[in-house]
Amino acid sequence: MQFKTDVLRSNFPLWLSPMEDVTNPPFRRICKRFGADVLVTEFVPTDAIIRNVKTSLLKFQFSESERPLAIQIYGHLEDAMIEGAKMAAEAKPDFIDINWGCPVKKIANRGAGSGIFRNIPKMIRITEGIVKAVNLPVTVKTRLGWDENSKVIVDVAERLQDTGIMGLSIHGRTRCQLYTDEADWTLIGEVKNNPRMHIPIFGNGDVKTPERALEVKNKYGVDGILIGRATIGNPWIFSEIKHFFKTGEHLLPPSIDERVNVCREHLLACIEWKGESKAIGEMRKHYSTYFRAIPHFKPLRIELLQAKELDHILDLFEKIRMFNSAGADLQSVPM
Ligand SMILES: Cc1cc2nc3c(=O)[nH]c(=O)nc-3n(C[C@H](O)[C@H](O)[C@H](O)COP(=O)(O)O)c2cc1C
């Protein structure tokens, strides 16, 4: 086994941005196939890791084909963060990513995720402790700051760099913005163009199209980007961006047959990964985008979202496929 850390300095890597209940191994593998260069696990709570909570340890699992891959950890307790990072490192990912960006109230209010912006010395101390404790590269994913009046990322980035991290990903929002407003990339660009910075800087927030990916690359000079929500039900986004970078043209969108095949594979692999009922629930957030190209999809979408049995869902997939091959109006597909 060889760690693949060169990717952080490679030619504009596209990251599958970590997302809880989305970036599990089945979805990561599919995104990899369509061109994702860096994969990250869902975030894993260090207080649960050190108590050997099974559901958290399960999130360490990945296959060799997923490399380069980071395990992402979060928490607010210094000792637990360092112990948890060491335990994550034992799973031998290519690097450890620290989440200093999660805005969720119950996490941030405890001082974990983006809550750490209220105690920057602690953020630096824990990050440094982890860098020293693990025998792997460490990266950080964070936001611009706590709120509009404390967008401290330019200064914080320098201090994080001094801890010895190998890369920094920045989501262009503050904690208080949660997911509202447009992501603001100007400060991400400022971090990147700060002459004192030498580690790779990865930008994140609202990249949904190849055009936008090219724009942030050229305008802000970032070393790569993380794509989150735009991958949901759309793992093809990575190949679309790469094709656009190379040719200036758009790839043909995937056919409905391909959409059905990939979505079916995704569902079945998720069931294998976490059991039928949980997988069926989690897959619901993907369907609207997997099948967005289908005219008059609404009645089928409602049925898909309500279906609880695997057989029923597979049946609906076949109806979608039939619609495609008939090339006809959905009304003519027996429901
Ligand atoms: C459902 C969901 C779950 C998320 N879980 C995580 C997570 O576990 N770790 C993390 O660093 N960010 C998490 N995020 C944030 C995303 O990685 C990303 O930073 C954010 O969505 C902005 O990027 P986007 O505009 O490309 O989606 C999550 C976002 C969503 C929508």
Side-chain angles (χ1 to χ4, degrees):
M1 188 238 353
Q2 221 186 351
F3 295 126
K4 294 185 172 171
T5 50
D6 294 353
V7 71
L8 297 178
R9 293 205 174 265
S10 68
N11 185 18
F12 205 75
L14 304 179
W15 296 51
L16 170 61
S17 205
M19 286 178 284
E20 189 181 27
D21 294 338
V22 177
T23 58
N24 51 28
F27 190 58
R28 295 198 302 258
R29 287 196 293 268
I30 289 172
C31 287
K32 175 102 191 175
R33 192 193 320 151
F34 291 113
D37 297 301
V38 188
L39 303 176
V40 188
T41 64
E42 302 166 71
F43 65 175
V44 197
T46 46
D47 52 345
I49 298 172
I50 59 165
R51 285 184 287 114
N52 286 310
V53 174
K54 222 171 120 193
T55 46
S56 294
L57 296 184
L58 200 65
K59 293 191 174 165
F60 286 174
Q61 288 188 11
F62 62 91
S63 54
E64 284 300 304
S65 66
E66 291 179 52
R67 292 186 185 282
L69 169 135
I71 291 179
Q72 191 190 63
I73 56 167
Y74 76 96
H76 67 291
L77 302 169
E78 300 196 34
D79 290 348
M81 280 293 275
I82 290 170
E83 266 324 292
K86 284 202 233 165
M87 288 172 70
E90 279 166 22
K92 297 190 168 35
D94 298 280
F95 51 105
I96 301 288
D97 189 60
I98 308 173
N99 178 318
W100 291 138
C102 178
V104 172
K105 206 172 177 177
K106 71 174 198 284
I107 292 176
N109 280 357
R110 265 192 282 156
S114 59
I116 201 72
F117 277 108
R118 310 209 110 171
N119 190 344
I120 292 166
K122 184 175 172 188
M123 174 198 228
I124 302 303
R125 215 164 47 238
I126 295 179
T127 307
E128 193 164 34
I130 292 174
V131 169
K132 284 197 180 125
V134 301
N135 211 2
L136 280 177
V138 175
T139 54
V140 164
K141 178 168 178 282
T142 188
R143 289 189 171 223
L144 303 179
W146 177 261
D147 65 11
E148 191 55 30
N149 300 317
S150 58
K151 293 184 177 175
V152 288
I153 189 62
V154 176
D155 173 56
V156 164
E158 282 189 34
R159 296 174 67 184
L160 284 169
Q161 174 174 265
D162 290 344
T163 67
I165 60 168
M166 303 290 254
L168 177 63
S169 304
I170 306 168
H171 175 188
R173 288 185 174 88
T174 62
R175 186 272 151 186
C176 289
Q177 282 178 298
L178 303 171
Y179 289 90
T180 60
D181 310 320
E182 283 262 298
D184 173 6
W185 281 68
T186 51
L187 282 179
I188 302 176
E190 228 176 276
V191 172
K192 173 62 205 168
N193 294 305
N194 175 352
R196 287 187 289 272
M197 293 301 293
H198 53 79
I199 56 171
I201 303 299
F202 305 104
N204 172 231
D206 300 342
V207 176
K208 298 180 196 141
T209 60
E211 283 85 350
R212 181 63 180 154
L214 190 60
E215 186 178 289
V216 297
K217 178 176 192 268
N218 292 339
K219 192 163 169 188
Y220 303 105
V222 287
D223 296 287
I225 51 176
L226 290 80
I227 309 172
R229 289 164 295 174
T231 68
I232 297 176
N234 184 25
W236 295 275
I237 191 165
F238 298 102
S239 44
E240 283 164 3
I241 290 174
K242 286 185 168 172
H243 184 81
F244 189 76
F245 280 8
K246 218 179 342 184
T247 65
E249 290 181 3
H250 284 272
L251 267 181
L252 279 178
S255 66
I256 294 177
D257 234 7
E258 182 175 0
R259 289 171 184 277
V260 172
N261 289 344
V262 172
C263 183
R264 192 177 191 280
E265 172 193 340
H266 186 178
L267 169 65
L268 294 176
C270 274
I271 288 176
E272 214 171 289
W273 172 247
K274 50 171 54 187
E276 186 163 323
S277 132
K278 273 199 179 144
I280 286 175
E282 280 184 20
M283 283 298 292
R284 290 189 182 124
K285 52 173 91 66
H286 292 271
Y287 294 140
S288 307
T289 345
Y290 265 130
F291 302 124
R292 75 180 153 201
I294 298 173
H296 314 299
F297 174 55
K298 200 168 166 197
L300 270 182
R301 182 169 64 89
I302 293 169
E303 208 179 333
L304 256 182
L305 293 180
Q306 289 171 344
K308 292 189 177 67
E309 307 288 330
L310 174 61
D311 285 349
H312 185 187
I313 297 172
L314 294 180
D315 218 41
L316 290 168
F317 287 171
E318 291 318 306
K319 281 183 180 160
I320 294 170
R321 200 195 299 277
M322 265 168 61
F323 172 58
N324 177 42
S325 53
D329 192 291
L330 189 64
Q331 310 311 321
S332 66
V333 179
M335 300 286 285

